[in-house]
Amino acid sequence: MAKLSPKGHERHDLLFETAKSSALGLKKSFSQQDLMSLWDIVDAAQLMIAVQELIQHSLLRTLRADRILYWSPRPWEVASAEVHTLQKFDNDERLIYEAVENAEATGIWIKRLKQNTGV
């Protein structure tokens, strides 16, 4: 895996600090418009490149609500530990892991896991 770029590092830090200082703290999620505004990006294609870099380093997690994607930052410590864990997972295991993580405190049932992952 390629090393995180200086711009990627800067973007994560800005996003993390913005989330941390919000009323929701690290549970805050950001929409496409939020990220474009915060990172001063005008092109959706550029945004996807930036988001993908952070996702590859487990520094962002993707959430979906009402068919809209949102992203939430992860702390550096969590991301580095998670990278090693996720590398051991196959695609199905990774999909289930992310579905459970996205459920957060709402609880999740096996039926819902199967619906969300198709596994």
Side-chain angles (χ1 to χ4, degrees):
M1 177 189 318
K3 189 174 179 180
L4 184 66
S5 72
K7 191 68 172 174
H9 196 289
E10 179 184 316
R11 286 177 174 148
H12 173 266
D13 288 349
L14 178 59
L15 190 63
F16 187 80
E17 289 305 317
T18 302
K20 203 164 102 175
S21 65
S22 76
L24 294 173
L26 295 180
K27 291 188 182 255
K28 175 153 179 64
S29 56
F30 297 85
S31 68
Q32 177 177 333
Q33 282 306 119
D34 294 335
L35 294 181
M36 290 177 81
S37 175
L38 187 63
W39 293 340
D40 197 27
I41 293 176
V42 295
D43 182 328
Q46 290 176 336
L47 176 66
M48 289 302 106
I49 292 169
V51 165
Q52 186 61 36
E53 179 185 22
L54 295 179
I55 288 172
Q56 286 175 344
H57 288 85
S58 293
L59 291 168
L60 272 187
R61 64 186 181 131
T62 303
L63 311 163
R64 187 180 359 204
D66 299 325
R67 297 184 174 199
I68 299 172
L69 293 178
Y70 295 90
W71 294 273
S72 177
R74 287 190 179 107
W76 286 103
E77 315 78 58
V78 172
S80 63
E82 189 167 286
V83 165
H84 297 297
T85 301
L86 289 177
Q87 286 174 345
K88 299 174 187 173
F89 290 170
D90 66 26
N91 287 339
D92 288 343
E93 290 169 329
R94 187 175 296 114
L95 192 62
I96 290 170
Y97 177 87
E98 289 172 357
V100 170
E101 181 184 40
N102 290 342
E104 292 181 347
T106 63
I108 193 159
W109 297 92
I110 296 295
K111 182 178 177 184
R112 181 136 187 218
L113 264 176
K114 288 180 181 178
Q115 284 176 327
N116 291 347
T117 64
V119 177

